[in-house]
Amino acid sequence: MDHILSVLIFLPAVAGILGFLVDKNSAKTYAITVAAIEFVISLWLWMSFDGTNSGLQFVEMFPIVSSFGINYYVGVDGISLFLIVLTTFMTMISLMSLTITDNVKNLVLSVLFLEMTMVGVFVALDAILFYVFWELSLVPMLYIIGAWGGPRRVYAAIKFFLYTFAGSLIMLVGMLVMAYLYYEATGVWSFEITEWHKFVLPFEYQLWLFAAFFIGFAIKVPMFPFHTWLPYAHGQAPTIGSVILAAVLLKMGTYGFVRFSLPMFPVASVYFIMPIAILSLIMIVYTAMVAYAQKDIKQVIAYSSVSHMGVIMLGLFAMNAEGLGGSIFLMISHGIVSGALFMLVGVIYDRKHTKLMSEFGGLASVMPKYATIFGIMLMASVGLPLTIGFVGEFLSLLGFYNVSHTITLIAGLTIILGAVYMLTLYKKTFFGPVEHEENRKLLDLNKVEMASLAPLVAVVIWLGVYPKPVLEPIDNSVKSLLSFMEEKTEALETRYDNSDEALEAIEEAKNIIVVSQNREAE
Amino acid sequence: MESLVYIALFAPLLGSLIAAAFGTTPKTLFTGIVTSSLLAVSMFASMILLAMAVSGAYIHVELMEWIGAGDLYIPFGFVVDEVSATMMVVVTIVSTMVHIYSIGYMEHDIGFNRFFSYLSAFVFSMLVLVMSDNFAGLFIGWEGVGLCSWLLVGFWYHKKDVTRDVNPSISPSWAANEAFIMNRIADLGMLIGLFLIYWFTGSLQYSEVFAAIGDVDMTIVYWIGIFLFIGAMGKSAQFPLHTWLADAMEGPTPVSALIHAATMVTAGVYLVIRANPIYDVVPDVGYFIACLGAFVAMFAATMALVNRDMKRIIAYSTLSQLGYMFVAAGLGAYWIALFHLATHAFFKALLFLGAGNVMHAMDDELDIKKMGALYRVMKPTAIFMILASVALAGIYPFAGFFSKDKILEVAFNEQTYILWFVLWVTAGLTAFYSFRLIMYVFFGKDRHTEWGAHPHEMPNFVLWAMSPLALLAVIAGWFEGWFHGYATNLLPDYAFSDATHHMVAMLIAVTTAVALGGIIYAIVRYRGNGPKKPTNVNSPVYKLLINQYYIPVIYENVVTKPYAKLSSMAWSIDMKVVDATVDFIANSIYGAGSTARGLQTGNLSKMLRLMAAGVAALLVAAVVYGTLR
């Protein structure tokens, strides 16, 4: 299987094009089948992936515009592998749980195209290729929100599109500058990310380029104060749109930091730790409070996503294997849990066409299975040990503790505030007497819903009890990433002899980047 | 040996899963029987392990790796040593009895199967908590018992929220959330403690941490001690995180007996005992723990004096006794803290189960002033509760006497006479309020026939389930000497000075006197038709106590409501400032575009004029720029 990654990228796209020929009544079945095959292939990728090898695997390359060094260049390492599996898994599950019947053929084909772009983003090792997939992913999502969304769908869809698009344009400029600097230094054009990684960039350029990439990624994450597109997008998107948006699309932003910012600009990454940490703290605390104030269940989950993404950002900038590895694990777990929560909201929305908490109450007696699964996801969301949510959150915070005690203490409020808004939501929706008589007739989960939620529950518990299969490959890749950052920082040091600011920043970076305590003790 | 450890640990989990499989179906008696039998299995395995620990065995097993990242390695490792074996036996004995008891108590509840599933899951979590060989494993159990407590306090989730005047706990679901969130506040402290431990010792394994703690900077050890204790304050409901415990009485009574009296709430004490090498380094933190413990002991006892709610009275007494344990642990007498933990578990569980019998007889009425003269119809329950109360009051030769008296001796020995005095007064209060409850419930005038109660005794097997606890409430104290020798194989011994030795008889006499005084005063005051001079319910002291020092109200007005307001404000800011700015920028660009559209008329002469103006402007700019240079 030399071309497994290309198959993964293009299978959904080709199937999507062929899908136009499929009868509209069987379109959903067709899409589920394609997504299931895609998922199986990604599992195969995982099985054949060598977890002990921290480098890139299944690499494919052929030139597209060779005079400018633009190639079709793809590969996976322990960091991207699980994001790919997450993508194919959540796409399959969300298609399975799809209840929309109106114009469903176009919807499922959009989802298949979206899957191509998402997988493409995670496997691309060429900046231009990455950028193409990154931008293409906006189009199906724009269509999904704009065509199948709620009453303000057009506003929400355009806001989502323009906001993220504006950010990524700045990122594109950053990429072009980076390529030019590379050309100036080496005399050849290259957009290969691996080449850029090796390229030691002067400190001043690192700062500027970090900022350019930061805007692109931060809007996607979304980091405060660039997050306001998210509540609109979630509020208006159909369930399947929200699931994919929360589970996968947001992770593209944090993945960007790991793939570009950290290895390319290690000194700048350390230099900007504090501002980023403060933004993350605002995300964690402030959006948790906003979540508490919401009246709409879906909005609570939407804001809680922002809050959790704050923890992921902190972990990313912990500059040690515990924090960075934990943060990548948290991307996976947040993908599963927030996706599941959005699906759960979809379940009652399908039944009552409202998502307001005040319309419910006492559902635990009416829909016990639903209440149980919601309860499990709630506990995963607040990070209870032995659920998937704990591992990443614990490691991210543990890692950042080595950078700053105070910030971690404040960030730790997430475990309290998360419990506050989630338990309040649960109490208002599920506990108490059944206030609205018509709610007594609500049906519990049906077979299709059970079939799509049960695998998520299984994963939540399995990876909570035994995270090793995922954590170990991540850990290996993260360690090599960190030692790489360390080497680059040291390499940069030799080039400076008089710039105090730069030397100070480099010194700081050398102190903070920890590959292994033990190794340094030796 | 290894398999015994796993049997003890996983039997309750198996029971829980079996019961959970029938969780949504109507009552099936066998779930109760299966879970109880599996717990009995766990209990016998624990007893055998205790016997092994007594003969000096130290069993350490590692099931598998849990989390490995960077240098961090956390296994599912379990250890059976003197401390954990004791905890295991206490937990499984009480749990088994409570399970059997619950088959009778929950007989008519539609959530029968669900109840047993939660209850066994709790026992499993508690065993993980006490058996883990590392701090992270302890944290698993720590959060697990919190989850089960949430599920069980909120067991009757269908009840509606009411105001504080009607029910101080508002509703089961409210109390459940309060308990979970309060515990989470403390858990943050605990997590920070874990982070500190990891970054300064490089491990979370007890053995490695305790070996390395001597080399860690003192300031850091202080902080570790403080943060771990913050965690302990949540689970063991120490002031100011205590309000959840009394509200948690909304759960079914067997739950109160098991979780909120005998086991879970003692987890904080267990943590301090387990982390004794850390607290030994920083005695100042220990002293603070002792002071807070003494304060809570008295603070809780005062609230119990006036309360009319049977379960709340017992809950406050639990709180008060936890204070005693913290005094012992804080002052370095770890084995005495553990000993009191064990004896307290037996007699307090017995007391609660007795209260459950009374509730059953009284149609779930909790107001002790609506009861009376129940001794005639419920002799065995009355005897059990009197036994437990005597043990709680610390009268010779019952269990409480041995353990509680030792704590007073420790306080005296440390020359912390104020602590001793506080505990001494509290001993009197404890005796008084315990017998106030006994008198109101079992003796005096019959006040229940008038509102139509039909009291009856519980079925025999329920009473049999209580009898081992009754036996232990009587005899557990007799093992003091043996337990001392056994526990101090692992825990540091506590040495009494000679001066204290000479005073022991005196101390015992004084303490017994105050306890007897409390009992006799309660009997005299509440016999027959009740107090001749009733308590003035309008006095400020009474109001203060009955309203729990107004602390729940203060929390509501100072924390809960402002937080809700602040959250709404944050939401407005998000919409009206952050998002409005984004829209403003977008609109400005759009507006600029619309305005500029007017220029693009396509009129040739207008275009030429604009071009000329542009060229002129550029020339001027060039000239100005040139001269400036």
Side-chain angles (χ1 to χ4, degrees):
Chain A
M1 279 308 286
D2 291 339
H3 298 290
I4 185 164
L5 293 182
S6 298
V7 173
L8 270 175
I9 298 175
F10 294 110
L11 174 80
V14 172
I17 292 166
L18 292 178
F20 284 110
L21 306 173
V22 174
D23 181 70
K24 67 173 187 284
N25 292 324
S26 46
K28 187 181 152 191
T29 325
Y30 173 76
I32 294 173
T33 317
V34 173
I37 295 170
E38 175 87 351
F39 175 60
V40 170
I41 299 174
S42 71
L43 282 185
W44 188 7
L45 175 76
W46 182 6
M47 291 308 130
S48 21
F49 184 86
D50 178 6
T52 56
N53 174 352
S54 59
L56 291 160
Q57 300 177 33
F58 305 102
V59 173
E60 289 174 48
M61 171 144 72
F62 65 81
I64 301 175
V65 188
S66 35
S67 53
F68 279 99
I70 300 171
N71 302 318
Y72 173 83
Y73 179 30
V74 294
V76 286
D77 62 1
I79 297 167
S80 50
L81 172 67
F82 297 104
L83 289 164
I84 296 164
V85 180
L86 175 74
T87 305
T88 57
F89 181 59
M90 291 311 289
T91 308
M92 178 183 77
I93 296 277
S94 62
L95 280 170
M96 275 164 65
S97 70
L98 186 64
T99 49
I100 294 172
T101 47
D102 186 27
N103 202 1
V104 65
K105 184 168 154 185
N106 291 336
L107 178 61
V108 295
L109 298 183
S110 309
V111 172
L112 289 179
F113 281 116
L114 186 58
E115 185 171 22
M116 169 193 81
T117 62
M118 293 185 296
V119 173
V121 163
F122 294 130
V123 298
L125 291 177
D126 182 281
I128 296 297
L129 192 66
F130 176 89
Y131 181 78
V132 168
F133 283 126
W134 175 279
E135 293 292 39
L136 274 182
S137 73
L138 295 180
V139 181
M141 194 41 106
L142 171 82
Y143 188 44
I144 291 172
I145 299 177
W148 288 275
R152 294 189 69 196
R153 56 183 180 268
V154 176
Y155 172 77
I158 290 177
K159 188 166 192 161
F160 161 73
F161 188 94
L162 288 184
Y163 208 153
T164 42
F165 189 66
S168 23
L169 281 181
I170 298 175
M171 177 179 81
L172 178 65
V173 174
M175 285 175 172
L176 297 176
V177 172
M178 181 75 195
Y180 180 71
L181 290 173
Y182 184 89
Y183 169 72
E184 263 197 337
T186 62
V188 279
W189 285 96
S190 175
F191 282 90
E192 285 173 28
I193 297 173
T194 45
E195 283 303 313
W196 287 5
H197 284 181
K198 289 177 207 150
F199 178 49
V200 182
L201 204 59
F203 174 64
E204 296 74 20
Y205 288 123
Q206 285 200 14
L207 293 185
W208 283 105
L209 285 176
F210 183 92
F213 280 90
F214 174 80
I215 292 176
F217 298 144
I219 292 176
K220 198 78 165 187
V221 167
M223 288 188 78
F224 178 88
F226 309 118
H227 65 281
T228 52
W229 63 265
L230 186 86
Y232 284 105
H234 275 308
Q236 302 303 319
T239 300
I240 189 166
S242 289
V243 171
I244 294 179
L245 182 63
V248 187
L249 287 189
L250 304 188
K251 309 301 173 299
M252 287 165 45
T254 43
Y255 172 76
F257 280 108
V258 186
R259 192 51 93 216
F260 288 87
S261 305
L262 293 183
M264 277 158 54
F265 325 119
V267 182
S269 300
V270 174
Y271 187 83
F272 283 119
I273 282 184
M274 281 303 138
I276 287 175
I278 286 164
L279 287 184
S280 307
L281 278 190
I282 298 176
M283 285 163 81
I284 292 169
V285 176
Y286 160 90
T287 38
M289 291 176 74
V290 180
Y292 179 69
Q294 300 304 309
K295 298 174 176 68
D296 181 309
I297 303 175
K298 203 170 177 187
Q299 292 294 325
V300 178
I301 316 278
Y303 277 107
S304 88
S305 278
V306 182
S307 188
H308 286 129
M309 293 307 279
V311 181
I312 295 182
M313 286 307 298
L314 267 193
L316 280 185
F317 284 82
M319 301 294 160
N320 50 47
E322 289 86 350
L324 186 49
S327 152
I328 292 162
F329 191 88
L330 190 53
M331 291 181 205
I332 312 293
S333 75
H334 179 256
I336 305 274
V337 174
S338 66
L341 284 169
F342 277 118
M343 275 167 63
L344 286 162
V345 177
V347 168
I348 39 171
Y349 183 73
D350 285 344
R351 284 165 177 61
K352 260 203 97 177
H353 298 286
T354 176
K355 297 168 291 191
L356 290 177
M357 281 182 248
S358 54
E359 289 294 316
F360 299 100
L363 286 191
S365 350
V366 186
M367 306 168 73
K369 286 182 203 155
Y370 178 64
T372 309
I373 293 186
F374 205 114
I376 294 171
M377 290 305 164
L378 178 155
M379 286 303 155
S381 169
V382 303
L384 204 82
L386 299 192
T387 65
I388 195 170
F390 175 75
V391 182
E393 191 177 79
F394 176 76
L395 288 174
S396 299
L397 293 174
L398 175 78
F400 203 79
Y401 199 76
N402 197 38
V403 179
S404 163
H405 306 251
T406 321
I407 289 182
T408 313
L409 186 66
I410 303 172
L413 288 175
T414 182
I415 71 164
I416 302 168
L417 302 182
V420 170
Y421 61 73
M422 285 309 275
L423 290 184
T424 308
L425 181 155
Y426 200 79
K427 175 166 156 43
K428 285 185 185 163
T429 316
F430 292 93
F431 289 158
V434 183
E435 298 278 4
H436 304 270
E437 273 312 309
E438 71 274 14
N439 285 351
R440 283 190 198 285
K441 294 193 206 88
L442 289 180
L443 296 175
D444 208 345
L445 296 178
N446 60 34
K447 278 185 187 139
V448 176
E449 287 159 343
M450 266 315 245
S452 37
L453 286 165
L456 294 172
V457 172
V459 171
V460 161
I461 309 248
W462 166 47
L463 288 182
V465 176
Y466 191 57
K468 193 178 174 182
V470 174
L471 206 49
E472 197 173 48
I474 290 179
D475 191 45
N476 282 329
S477 292
V478 160
K479 277 178 185 154
S480 90
L481 173 69
L482 283 166
S483 52
F484 184 70
M485 287 170 70
E486 201 178 38
E487 283 161 25
K488 257 181 93 163
T489 310
E490 277 161 14
L492 189 60
E493 191 180 22
T494 56
R495 298 195 191 173
Y496 282 92
D497 40 13
N498 51 6
S499 164
D500 286 344
E501 204 196 347
L503 279 176
E504 228 170 76
I506 291 169
E507 201 51 41
E508 176 77 7
K510 278 170 66 187
N511 283 336
I512 286 193
I513 300 173
V514 180
V515 182
S516 162
Q517 279 180 296
N518 300 341
R519 210 194 67 181
E520 289 186 356
E522 283 159 19
Chain B
M1 261 187 350
E2 284 201 4
S3 52
L4 266 181
V5 177
Y6 291 135
I7 289 170
L9 180 61
F10 288 111
L13 178 65
L14 179 65
S16 170
L17 294 176
I18 293 173
F22 299 90
T24 53
T25 56
K27 182 192 162 180
T28 43
L29 182 62
F30 94 98
T31 54
I33 295 171
V34 168
T35 49
S36 304
S37 330
L38 281 165
L39 262 174
V41 169
S42 173
M43 177 177 75
F44 288 120
S46 302
M47 285 174 171
I48 299 171
L49 287 167
L50 176 72
M52 287 175 168
V54 169
S55 59
Y58 169 88
I59 308 166
H60 181 228
V61 295
E62 213 172 289
L63 184 61
M64 61 182 196
E65 178 184 331
W66 180 36
I67 295 178
D71 301 323
L72 177 69
Y73 171 75
I74 307 173
F76 286 112
F78 304 100
V79 64
V80 179
D81 56 15
E82 284 79 359
V83 173
S84 55
T86 310
M87 291 297 292
M88 283 166 73
V89 169
V90 171
V91 168
T92 50
I93 289 180
V94 178
S95 311
T96 310
M97 300 314 149
V98 168
H99 268 73
I100 299 171
Y101 176 92
S102 304
I103 296 177
Y105 189 85
M106 300 299 287
E107 202 181 353
H108 302 297
D109 200 290
I110 47 164
F112 186 86
N113 299 349
R114 192 163 58 93
F115 180 81
F116 278 92
S117 166
Y118 294 168
L119 205 61
S120 282
F122 166 78
V123 181
F124 171 69
S125 309
M126 190 70 203
L127 288 173
V128 171
L129 196 163
V130 299
M131 291 168 72
S132 281
D133 70 345
N134 63 71
F135 282 102
L138 177 135
F139 194 71
I140 299 178
W142 197 265
E143 294 287 277
V145 291
L147 167 67
C148 296
S149 162
W150 180 71
L151 290 167
L152 284 163
V153 172
F155 188 75
W156 289 313
Y157 56 78
H158 52 80
K159 290 189 190 167
K160 203 176 162 58
D161 284 11
V162 291
T163 59
R164 274 219 168 77
D165 311 331
V166 182
N167 177 1
S169 315
I170 298 183
S171 74
S173 55
W174 191 91
N177 280 3
E178 183 198 15
F180 196 93
I181 291 164
M182 281 261 181
N183 273 295
R184 277 261 150 165
I185 295 173
D187 291 348
L188 174 57
M190 172 112 178
L191 267 186
I192 298 290
L194 259 56
F195 295 164
L196 273 167
I197 290 175
Y198 175 65
W199 285 111
F200 287 92
T201 68
S203 175
L204 288 173
Q205 299 293 112
Y206 294 144
S207 50
E208 290 172 35
V209 172
F210 298 151
I213 202 78
D215 304 328
V216 178
D217 186 55
M218 275 293 274
T219 328
I220 302 296
V221 186
Y222 266 100
W223 284 115
I224 293 176
I226 290 169
F227 278 118
L228 286 184
F229 181 62
I230 292 176
M233 281 165 67
K235 274 283 172 280
S236 293
Q238 295 296 290
F239 179 85
L241 299 174
H242 63 281
T243 54
W244 69 267
L245 182 60
D247 292 339
M249 295 301 121
E250 285 297 305
T253 308
V255 172
S256 312
L258 176 60
I259 303 184
H260 304 114
T263 54
M264 183 184 88
V265 288
T266 62
V269 183
Y270 167 79
L271 174 65
V272 175
I273 295 174
R274 179 55 84 186
N276 69 77
I278 294 176
Y279 287 102
D280 266 349
V281 183
V282 284
D284 295 356
V285 178
Y287 183 64
F288 169 76
I289 295 174
C291 292
L292 186 70
F295 167 71
V296 170
M298 187 146 176
F299 168 76
T302 52
M303 290 191 283
L305 290 177
V306 298
N307 215 297
R308 294 169 57 164
D309 181 317
M310 179 169 54
K311 284 182 75 178
R312 278 182 166 258
I313 295 172
I314 310 180
Y316 289 130
S317 108
T318 305
L319 205 52
S320 174
Q321 296 303 308
L322 289 167
Y324 275 87
M325 294 175 213
F326 275 118
V327 172
L331 294 178
Y334 303 106
W335 77 267
I336 296 172
L338 186 61
F339 188 52
H340 193 54
L341 189 163
T343 58
H344 171 259
F346 300 134
F347 61 69
K348 189 53 67 63
L350 179 65
L351 198 56
F352 257 122
L353 295 182
N357 290 359
V358 173
M359 279 173 72
H360 237 247
M362 293 278 104
D363 302 331
D364 289 338
E365 179 56 56
L366 280 164
D367 187 348
I368 52 173
K369 294 202 175 173
K370 291 186 179 169
M371 302 175 188
L374 286 177
Y375 182 76
R376 270 170 294 165
V377 266
M378 308 179 69
K379 225 173 240 171
T381 302
I383 292 170
F384 284 153
M385 282 188 79
I386 292 169
L387 274 182
S389 297
V390 177
L392 173 63
I395 303 297
Y396 185 84
F398 296 93
F401 168 80
F402 296 90
S403 52
K404 195 159 148 187
D405 229 59
K406 266 276 172 298
I407 296 177
L408 281 150
E409 283 169 33
V410 169
F412 190 83
N413 187 51
E414 291 289 324
Q415 298 175 335
T416 47
Y417 299 117
I418 296 174
L419 294 190
W420 178 84
F421 181 71
V422 170
L423 295 184
W424 180 76
V425 172
T426 308
L429 299 178
T430 310
F432 172 75
Y433 67 68
S434 304
F435 275 83
R436 171 177 172 263
L437 185 149
I438 297 286
M439 293 303 291
Y440 263 130
V441 174
F442 292 108
F443 302 100
K445 205 178 106 190
D446 170 353
R447 290 176 297 268
H448 55 77
T449 315
E450 61 196 68
W451 57 270
H454 303 286
H456 51 273
E457 185 55 285
M458 292 291 266
N460 274 334
F461 80 93
V462 170
L463 297 171
W464 277 112
M466 291 168 73
S467 54
L469 295 175
L471 181 70
L472 284 165
V474 179
I475 65 161
W478 305 350
F479 296 96
E480 184 197 322
W482 169 82
F483 185 80
H484 174 214
Y486 161 73
T488 49
N489 283 336
L490 179 72
L491 297 171
D493 197 2
Y494 183 83
F496 289 97
S497 68
D498 287 341
T500 314
H501 272 300
H502 295 305
M503 297 284 288
V504 164
M506 246 282 282
L507 286 174
I508 291 177
V510 176
T511 315
T512 308
V514 76
L516 280 175
I519 294 176
I520 292 166
Y521 179 58
I523 292 176
V524 172
R525 185 174 161 85
Y526 296 107
R527 76 192 156 156
N529 284 331
K532 301 209 171 46
K533 219 180 82 190
T535 319
N536 177 9
V537 293
N538 289 320
S539 77
V541 178
Y542 180 87
K543 287 212 148 163
L544 187 68
L545 295 179
I546 198 78
N547 287 306
Q548 310 171 51
Y549 293 90
Y550 294 101
I551 290 172
V553 186
I554 294 171
Y555 283 174
E556 187 174 318
N557 289 317
V558 177
V559 183
T560 320
K561 281 182 182 165
Y563 181 72
K565 266 200 193 130
L566 212 59
S567 299
S568 306
M569 240 165 68
W571 189 21
S572 319
I573 292 173
D574 210 47
M575 287 292 118
K576 289 178 187 148
V577 180
V578 183
D579 189 47
T581 312
V582 175
D583 276 0
F584 174 75
I585 294 171
N587 287 334
S588 317
I589 296 171
Y590 187 79
S594 303
T595 318
R597 191 165 59 186
L599 296 175
Q600 307 291 330
T601 50
N603 182 327
L604 191 65
S605 65
K606 197 176 173 185
M607 287 308 206
L608 281 172
R609 253 178 285 151
L610 278 172
M611 196 181 89
V615 169
L618 280 175
L619 280 173
V620 170
V623 169
V624 171
Y625 186 66
T627 41
L628 279 181
R629 270 178 85 177

